[in-house]
Amino acid sequence: MKPKHLIALLTVFALPGCAPESGDKSASAPSDKVAASTLLNVSYDVTRDYYKDYNPIFTKHYATKHPNVTINIQQSHGGSSKQALSVANGLQADVVTMNQSSDIDLLVQKGLVSSDWQKQFPNNAVPFTSTTVFLVRKGNPLQVKDWSDLARDNIKVVVANPKTSGNGRYSFLAAHAYALKTNQNDESKAIEFTKKLLKNIPVFENGGRAATTTFVQRNIGDVLITFENEANLAAKQLGNGNFEIVYPSYSILMESPVAVVNSVTDKKGSTAAATEYLNYLWSKPAQELGAKLYLRPTDKDVLAANAATFPKVETFRPTEVFGPWDQIMKKYFADGGLFDQLTTK
């Protein structure tokens, strides 16, 4: 159980319209503090479990360095790109913790985030990585082993919407890259495969956590395509042993970049606190927490200590196969792009 003084220091709640985490609670700042600082972290939806645990750890750390300041952390979760658009349209985030760099680059274009944001933190501002895997029902009754199985006629696939969710976008790109690789980069054959797979998706959920809920709790579909950390959470904590994870032969590397929203923090005077909040993601406690929740740490020692948790899988960076993110977004996910073309009936 967390000490009462830590609970008093932390406020975690979601803003209206921002896909809040159920059960979020808030607490007022202690009266004996002489100053207060409030930060809003706008993040993608499947990180809610991580930040729910990270925020008290950071709060305790911050209190030791700033004993006369109360730090309150507010959370907002939803599809990564939808969240980025919310910030671009005025949501007053102090920090953004997304799952693809293009979402932060959008905020750079809007003048909200510094153009050198990737240089402000270690590892190009990426504290954790993940990869895309399959979650199947116990015993894998349909014997799903690789991407090719997801294009079979008897399969129903659950996935997040690539138009609004980074989770869904990585899923689409992973499937298409697999098709390119197995067809010697024959684009027409790859498109044919991807179209077959997409036909097996009855509905696109608005985010990764919504897709998990549909598959695990509503018992819809045969396969869930999602991030490794979300699949592990569903299989080991939410699913009561009724699910198992399948690692495809070839998958995508998801990088989770973070940035300070300087246009907000400079006005509030919260830039230092926001920077400290993000910097602490590379601390040993934060990296170990990530590993515990199945996020692949960028700290090599922490990753090595948790090697059994993370099976080796051949992965690729999206930019290595498809070019820069701005080109990826335009070609595949913009209105009229390949995703729209393949899903239009």
Side-chain angles (χ1 to χ4, degrees):
M1 180 178 295
K2 299 180 179 65
K4 292 182 179 179
H5 73 278
L6 289 187
I7 297 175
L9 287 174
L10 179 65
T11 300
V12 181
F13 63 90
L15 301 184
C18 295
E21 175 184 5
S22 61
D24 282 344
K25 299 179 180 179
S26 62
S28 58
S31 59
D32 61 340
K33 297 294 180 179
V34 298
S37 181
T38 299
L39 300 179
L40 171 59
N41 174 12
V42 174
S43 190
Y44 64 103
D45 55 356
V46 301
T47 59
R48 67 189 71 214
D49 303 287
Y50 176 79
Y51 285 107
K52 180 180 178 181
D53 291 343
Y54 171 75
N55 288 337
I57 294 173
F58 171 75
T59 300
K60 181 178 180 180
H61 162 78
Y62 194 84
T64 62
K65 296 184 66 177
H66 310 276
N68 294 321
V69 179
T70 296
I71 187 77
N72 296 315
I73 314 296
Q74 301 173 356
Q75 287 295 132
S76 173
H77 294 279
S80 182
S81 294
K82 187 176 181 180
Q83 291 290 80
L85 284 173
S86 295
V87 175
N89 290 330
L91 182 60
Q92 296 292 288
D94 296 85
V95 300
V96 287
T97 54
M98 299 303 191
N99 62 26
Q100 65 179 74
S101 59
S102 64
D103 289 331
I104 299 180
D105 287 336
L106 170 67
L107 304 182
V108 173
Q109 295 169 14
K110 297 289 185 178
L112 306 179
V113 170
S114 298
S115 59
D116 65 345
W117 64 272
Q118 289 181 306
K119 298 179 180 179
Q120 294 179 6
F121 300 99
N123 197 45
N124 291 321
V126 173
F128 302 101
T129 66
S130 190
T131 189
T132 297
V133 301
F134 310 147
L135 189 69
V136 299
R137 303 193 186 280
K138 187 176 181 179
N140 194 5
L142 296 182
Q143 292 300 297
V144 172
K145 297 180 180 179
D146 214 338
W147 291 101
S148 57
D149 295 312
L150 304 189
R152 296 186 337 221
D153 292 337
N154 64 333
I155 294 282
K156 294 299 180 185
V157 179
V158 178
V159 71
N161 191 339
K163 299 282 284 187
T164 59
S165 166
N167 193 320
R169 202 165 294 138
Y170 279 102
S171 298
F172 177 94
L173 294 174
H176 198 58
Y178 168 85
L180 286 169
K181 182 181 180 183
T182 55
N183 288 286
Q184 290 76 49
N185 289 316
D186 186 319
E187 182 72 20
S188 62
K189 290 183 179 180
I191 289 175
E192 181 181 353
F193 168 83
T194 305
K195 186 174 183 178
K196 286 182 179 179
L197 192 160
L198 292 174
K199 285 183 177 179
N200 288 338
I201 302 171
V203 62
F204 292 94
E205 299 295 346
N206 61 17
R209 181 54 56 86
T212 300
T213 299
T214 293
F215 185 73
V216 173
Q217 297 182 3
R218 296 174 62 197
N219 203 36
I220 294 174
D222 303 303
V223 184
L224 171 67
I225 310 176
T226 191
F227 292 141
E228 177 184 36
N229 58 303
E230 181 75 351
N232 271 285
L233 177 68
K236 299 176 182 178
Q237 296 184 29
L238 302 178
N240 297 317
N242 294 321
F243 304 91
E244 56 189 71
I245 298 172
V246 174
Y247 281 81
S249 63
Y250 184 63
S251 195
I252 196 166
L253 179 70
M254 184 279 280
E255 297 177 306
S256 54
V258 302
V260 174
V261 185
N262 296 96
S263 64
V264 173
T265 62
D266 289 348
K267 291 179 182 178
K268 286 176 56 179
S270 60
T271 301
T275 301
E276 193 168 347
Y277 177 79
L278 294 183
N279 259 324
Y280 198 67
L281 291 170
W282 281 268
S283 69
K284 276 290 193 295
Q287 290 282 296
E288 289 171 349
L289 174 63
K292 180 182 177 181
L293 295 176
Y294 312 107
L295 290 164
R296 296 191 177 220
T298 53
D299 184 304
K300 294 181 179 179
D301 293 335
V302 177
L303 181 61
N306 292 273
T309 302
F310 303 108
K312 291 185 178 181
V313 57
E314 183 183 359
T315 61
F316 68 93
R317 282 185 167 87
T319 53
E320 294 172 345
V321 174
F322 300 107
W325 267 112
D326 58 346
Q327 293 182 21
I328 293 173
M329 296 300 294
K330 182 177 180 180
K331 180 177 180 180
Y332 295 101
F333 307 114
D335 290 344
L338 184 61
F339 174 75
D340 283 350
Q341 295 170 30
L342 299 183
T343 54
T344 300
K345 296 182 179 180

